[in-house]
Amino acid sequence: YKGVDAAIGRQMVYGTARIGLHRTFSDALVRYNDGKPVNFLAKTLSGMASGAIAVCIGTPFDIALVRLQSDSMAPEKDRRNYKNVFDALVRTTKEEGIGALYKGLAPNILRGMSMNVGMLACYDQAKEVVAKVLNDPMTDGPSLPTKLGSSCIAGFTAALFSLPFDLIKSRLMAQKPNPETGKMPYSGVADCAVQIFKKEGPLGFFGGFSAYYGRCAPHAMIILISIESITQAYRSAFE
């Protein structure tokens, strides 16, 4: 549970922003389309835009989370010994400048966009397909079987689409300068991707997929099912 405070802070800021913005954008697109369901391209664009904006808001907490977790696994002499998420944020700003809190922003944006497309856009699309298969009219929202089937699909696509970018993001955020040369292992997103491809091959981008899927899929399913249930309850009470 090392870094759990940073993970909670990240979800409170980044998680709520990406989901809320996507739903706001999606609802606006449906209204623009005369109340008809929008196509997958529109859902994808909504997911990408909301994911990118949310990442710009939540990246400092992501930096703190990565550093707290990597610190616990580093040799004792290389540890930064952060006390908690706020200590990590304050010390990073003091020691490396405010820009260090946005280190790896580009791959983080790519990861956020891919995660939102895989989780939210694919869920919206899967919901329509699963509802047709199960003959669910969705007059008062999707039924529980529709939610479960759609969220299972979205959990898989979220992990599949985002893992390569998550890997690049984590390596860039956790990198340290070479003690002898003072040079960073990676100069940027493209250099990191090229080095992974050269040293580990295409499958290197999907290393640890089972563990990553085990982390992403249950989280995605719980979030998506909860959102639908809360939204339906809210609409029943206030609309």
Side-chain angles (χ1 to χ4, degrees):
Y1 291 95
K2 187 70 174 177
V4 68
D5 51 349
I8 292 171
R10 176 179 178 273
Q11 286 303 324
M12 289 174 66
V13 177
Y14 162 72
T16 54
R18 73 187 180 93
I19 293 167
L21 287 170
H22 173 70
R23 191 55 55 214
T24 301
F25 295 161
S26 295
D27 289 347
L29 288 168
V30 169
R31 286 195 299 272
Y32 183 76
N33 200 37
D34 299 323
K36 300 172 186 174
V38 295
N39 58 34
F40 184 63
L41 176 59
K43 293 169 187 168
T44 298
L45 293 174
S46 171
M48 291 172 70
S50 54
I53 294 168
V55 164
C56 292
I57 299 169
T59 289
F61 285 96
D62 214 20
I63 288 282
L65 174 61
V66 169
R67 290 194 173 199
L68 281 164
Q69 290 179 332
S70 62
D71 205 45
S72 65
M73 295 182 285
E76 197 168 342
K77 62 182 178 65
D78 295 329
R79 291 179 185 174
R80 295 183 172 102
N81 295 313
Y82 297 123
K83 296 174 185 176
N84 51 52
V85 58
F86 299 108
D87 182 49
L89 290 170
V90 170
R91 279 183 51 194
T92 300
T93 304
K94 284 183 178 178
E95 295 167 9
E96 303 172 47
I98 191 72
L101 293 178
Y102 289 90
K103 192 180 291 181
L105 180 62
N108 210 9
I109 288 175
L110 292 172
R111 189 251 184 198
M113 291 167 71
S114 61
M115 174 64 81
N116 251 27
V117 171
M119 179 176 164
L120 299 176
C122 286
Y123 175 74
D124 289 345
Q125 189 67 30
K127 194 163 53 175
E128 294 176 16
V129 175
V130 173
K132 286 180 182 177
V133 171
L134 298 179
N135 294 317
D136 179 7
M138 294 202 297
T139 48
D140 296 316
S143 64
L144 183 59
T146 300
K147 293 177 194 173
L148 288 170
S150 305
S151 61
C152 282
I153 294 168
F156 178 78
T157 53
L160 184 69
F161 291 2
S162 65
L163 180 55
F165 300 108
D166 188 76
L167 181 72
I168 293 170
K169 176 209 72 171
S170 297
R171 293 198 183 184
L172 285 171
M173 285 182 173
Q175 68 176 333
K176 292 181 180 179
N178 187 302
E180 296 177 1
T181 63
K183 191 176 179 182
M184 288 290 195
Y186 310 110
S187 60
V189 178
D191 180 55
C192 183
V194 168
Q195 287 198 47
I196 292 171
F197 184 81
K198 284 182 177 178
K199 295 175 183 176
E200 304 170 43
L203 293 179
F205 291 103
F206 294 94
F209 178 79
S210 57
Y212 187 72
Y213 175 75
R215 187 186 92 186
C216 282
H219 170 261
M221 290 178 68
I222 291 168
I223 289 288
L224 292 167
I225 292 171
S226 300
I227 288 170
E228 290 286 1
S229 300
I230 292 167
T231 302
Q232 285 177 239
Y234 177 87
R235 286 175 177 167
S236 298
F238 297 103
E239 292 184 3

